[in-house]
Amino acid sequence: MESYWNGAEAAHRRVMMKAAGYSDSDIRKKPHIGVPNSYMEGSPGSAHLRQIAEAVKQGIWAAGGVPVEFGIPATCGNIANGAEELKYEQVGRDIVAMSVEFVSRVHNFDGLVMVASCDNIIAGCYLAAARVNIPSMVVTGGSMQPGHHCGKTVVEADLDVARFSGSAEEDLMELEEAVCPSFGACPSMGTANTMQMLGEVMNLVMPGTATIPASDNRKLRQAREAGKFAVKLVKSGLKPSDLITKEILLNSIMFDMAVAGSTNAVLHILTMAYELGIDITLEDFETYAKEIPCINAVIPSGPYTVVDFHYAGGVPNVMKMLESRLFTDAPMMNGRTWGEYLSGVKAQPNEVIHTLEKPLFHEPGLKILRGNLSPNGAIVRPTAVPDSVKYMKGKAKVFDGDRSAFEAIEAGEIVPGDIIVIRYEGCKGAPGMKELMLSIDALIGRGLHTSVGLVSDARFSGFNFGAIIGHVSPEAYDGGTIALVENGDEIIIDIPNGQVSLEVTEEELEKRKADWVCPPLKEEKGCLNLFARNCRPAEQGGAMQPW
């Protein structure tokens, strides 16, 4: 560090820093720590991050470091909910990672403290940490408080359901005023909160801090402590490649099973593994799905919010419940092992966080399905699937996109017993692996989620529930079996036995494959085109990692 900023050959660097307001002694002698901030005014998940980033910088200064804040892209997926632009969200993970990589490499930071909250933004920060591979950590923005309406606890997903269940506009306006009462990530087990929690398990977020609600001023105090700790982390030289080992990622999979995290976490864990050169596959998820039941009663697997989860013991309490299954010799960012840390954590079984011996469900929070319709694996969240549709045999109704399926649902063309197939919405087909918010919300709003199945090469929100099978691979654009399904074909969804199959003979599929023509890419330029040409398939994380 010092050689980069000292000597005559560094004069041009020092003068730029001096012109930006930094003193000579700070520039020459202190570690330079980048503070990528995903602050953005248009979302409750990021509109409060200026204050958190400021606390981080105060901590860095206090511990003898030099903070350098810079902005990184941020979006709110709910803004694009139901719109074609939602397919940008998965691509956004890679754009965030590239943004952090770009600035960090040019400015030669000694460490990073990233400030982020939402969905693919926080996942992009984790990916950036793995790629840049300098001492790095993340400070999360925390969870939103739940709303209250007519004596009931409500969250944003309740508004989506009400919208498609025929509620009057006046009633929707009342809900709008209630469902998002504070800053922070929407307080269910969506992707944002899942990834915030996983940051602790992956040694990127300080223990016990990920889910502190945005409205709790302990968030600011801990942000300041994180800034101080970042200087210590830089001086220790511990990099993400030292702290995110295979055992840590396997612990992350077990945690995700236990909390019934967003299915998008599968993509992000696999992407982290690939970036770090660690051999993690869907088979690892299959293994732990047989061993780890869901112990977390947060929406949609139970009635509680992430705020309840935090005050019920949060991530440390879940890890304590999993202690007998975890790789406890795995390292932590604080220099201890997970076993040493958990020896000081008291187990607190409660209505939100259960024990392995008395789980909330006797099934995992995530499950991999296979069969001729998805030989490379598909994803379902069993704890959010009604018993009535955990096994289904039904006729396919096929759509080449989310909106056309939604229009069919709204027109009354989907009836109990149907299995909707939505294709060409995968990594390449969308491109960008779109979240199916329109069709799924419409199913739930009309009460069809208890009698209709859905199979897709797209992904879906952590808010969603029903017999939704996503991440089907190979995707339709790559000529997977899902591209060959025809209206009226019989499909079997068998979640207990981990299968999703098309009841069509191999001979017939071969005939259909011979007649299939790959469609042109939907996007001829821009980042979506780049993503389609450079992304890995869903079962390998779906990121732009062509290397």
Side-chain angles (χ1 to χ4, degrees):
M1 182 271 293
E2 289 189 6
S3 61
Y4 190 80
W5 295 102
N6 287 279
E9 68 277 8
H12 63 290
R13 301 185 184 114
R14 291 193 299 271
V15 73
M16 291 296 105
M17 293 287 286
K18 288 178 180 179
Y22 294 88
S23 71
D24 187 76
S25 61
D26 288 337
I27 297 167
R28 290 176 181 267
K29 297 178 181 180
K30 297 178 180 179
H32 294 214
I33 299 177
V35 184
N37 184 3
S38 61
Y39 164 78
M40 199 269 284
E41 291 181 327
S43 167
S46 58
H48 63 306
L49 297 185
R50 272 182 172 168
Q51 192 175 15
I52 292 177
E54 190 60 37
V56 168
K57 292 192 293 180
Q58 290 171 3
I60 292 172
W61 280 120
V66 176
V68 181
E69 182 182 356
F70 61 97
I72 53 175
T75 57
C76 177
N78 262 322
I79 296 294
N81 187 343
E84 192 64 20
E85 288 74 23
L86 193 56
K87 62 190 181 184
Y88 276 91
E89 282 293 292
Q90 174 80 348
V91 182
R93 171 188 63 181
D94 297 359
I95 293 172
V96 168
M98 291 175 187
S99 299
V100 176
E101 174 194 6
F102 162 50
V103 178
S104 300
R105 294 299 190 204
V106 171
H107 283 263
N108 202 48
F109 295 130
D110 301 295
L112 290 169
V113 185
M114 294 167 269
V115 182
S117 292
C118 289
D119 292 33
N120 298 296
I121 310 305
I122 196 162
C125 288
Y126 295 168
L127 178 56
R131 183 170 299 168
V132 178
N133 201 30
I134 58 177
S136 300
M137 56 191 299
V138 175
V139 173
T140 67
S143 178
M144 176 187 291
Q145 289 288 337
H148 298 279
H149 180 253
C150 296
K152 295 181 179 179
T153 296
V154 290
V155 296
E156 196 284 330
D158 293 311
L159 178 67
D160 295 335
V161 172
R163 183 163 62 107
F164 291 108
S165 61
S167 294
E169 186 171 354
E170 181 179 331
D171 294 330
L172 289 177
M173 286 290 289
E174 285 187 15
L175 261 181
E176 280 183 46
E177 294 295 323
V179 294
C180 294
S182 77
F183 293 126
C186 298
S188 60
M189 280 304 297
T191 307
N193 281 303
T194 300
M195 296 312 297
Q196 289 195 48
M197 293 176 191
L198 282 171
E200 288 189 37
V201 187
M202 290 194 288
N203 291 324
L204 288 168
V205 176
M206 291 184 72
T209 68
T211 56
I212 299 172
S215 58
D216 186 333
N217 282 336
R218 184 168 175 257
K219 175 60 72 177
L220 289 178
R221 298 196 297 275
Q222 287 300 317
R224 197 169 290 111
E225 291 302 313
K228 293 177 184 177
F229 183 79
V231 177
K232 182 178 179 180
L233 190 65
V234 167
K235 290 178 179 177
S236 75
L238 286 172
K239 305 183 296 296
S241 59
D242 301 315
L243 293 170
I244 308 173
T245 63
K246 181 171 185 175
E247 291 73 24
I248 286 295
L249 291 180
L250 293 176
N251 284 351
S252 300
I253 294 172
M254 285 186 261
F255 180 90
D256 201 39
M257 294 290 174
V259 299
S262 167
T263 50
N264 291 317
V266 177
L267 298 168
H268 302 320
I269 292 171
L270 290 169
T271 293
M272 290 289 287
Y274 193 84
E275 192 70 36
L276 291 164
I278 297 171
D279 182 21
I280 296 286
T281 68
L282 282 184
E283 283 76 10
D284 294 299
F285 289 85
E286 288 175 297
T287 295
Y288 290 114
K290 297 172 184 175
E291 300 177 11
I292 308 294
C294 174
I295 62 173
N296 178 36
V298 169
I299 301 167
S301 297
Y304 299 100
T305 69
V306 175
V307 175
D308 299 319
F309 174 89
H310 176 73
Y311 295 120
V315 174
N317 197 22
V318 173
M319 294 296 276
K320 185 67 177 180
M321 301 304 181
L322 293 173
E323 187 174 14
S324 63
R325 306 293 182 89
L326 297 175
F327 293 93
T328 52
D329 288 337
M332 292 187 74
M333 65 196 310
N334 58 16
R336 306 169 73 187
T337 66
W338 271 98
E340 290 168 340
Y341 171 71
L342 290 174
S343 67
V345 175
K346 182 180 179 181
Q348 303 174 58
N350 50 65
E351 292 186 355
V352 183
I353 300 171
H354 296 229
T355 66
L356 285 176
E357 293 71 31
K358 295 181 179 179
L360 181 67
F361 293 92
H362 289 283
E363 56 188 345
L366 289 169
K367 196 164 188 176
I368 310 301
L369 306 184
R370 296 189 188 269
N372 68 343
L373 191 50
S374 188
N376 294 347
I379 309 291
V380 70
R381 184 190 249 171
T383 57
V385 180
D387 289 339
S388 57
V389 284
K390 283 186 174 173
Y391 177 90
M392 288 189 70
K393 186 174 184 178
K395 301 289 186 181
K397 289 191 175 175
V398 184
F399 304 93
D400 290 347
D402 188 24
R403 178 159 289 278
S404 57
F406 163 73
E407 290 170 353
I409 295 166
E410 290 291 279
E413 297 171 12
I414 304 300
V415 298
D418 284 344
I419 295 181
I420 299 171
V421 175
I422 300 178
R423 60 194 181 190
Y424 296 107
E425 293 281 29
C427 295
K428 297 177 183 177
M433 205 175 186
K434 191 176 177 184
E435 284 190 356
L436 302 182
M437 298 296 286
L438 270 177
S439 51
I440 296 173
D441 284 347
L443 282 177
I444 296 169
R446 287 173 168 261
L448 289 170
H449 64 289
T450 62
S451 58
V452 170
L454 188 151
V455 179
S456 180
D457 53 9
R459 60 198 185 100
F460 48 93
S461 169
F463 302 156
N464 291 145
F465 50 94
I468 314 162
I469 316 300
H471 304 210
V472 166
S473 182
E475 64 173 283
Y477 189 87
D478 283 335
T481 306
I482 194 171
L484 311 178
V485 182
E486 296 181 357
N487 284 318
D489 286 347
E490 281 198 330
I491 292 175
I492 294 176
I493 294 173
D494 185 352
I495 293 172
N497 291 304
Q499 295 180 356
V500 56
S501 301
L502 179 67
E503 296 291 280
V504 173
T505 65
E506 286 299 319
E507 291 76 15
E508 174 62 21
L509 288 176
E510 287 297 327
K511 290 178 185 177
R512 295 182 188 180
K513 185 65 178 284
D515 295 333
W516 176 77
V517 177
C518 181
L521 280 176
K522 293 177 186 174
E523 300 288 342
E524 296 182 354
K525 59 184 179 180
C527 62
L528 293 176
N529 180 279
L530 290 173
F531 182 86
R533 295 181 183 279
N534 290 284
C535 66
R536 306 194 73 78
E539 74 273 13
Q540 295 177 20
M544 285 191 276
Q545 294 170 313
W547 46 85

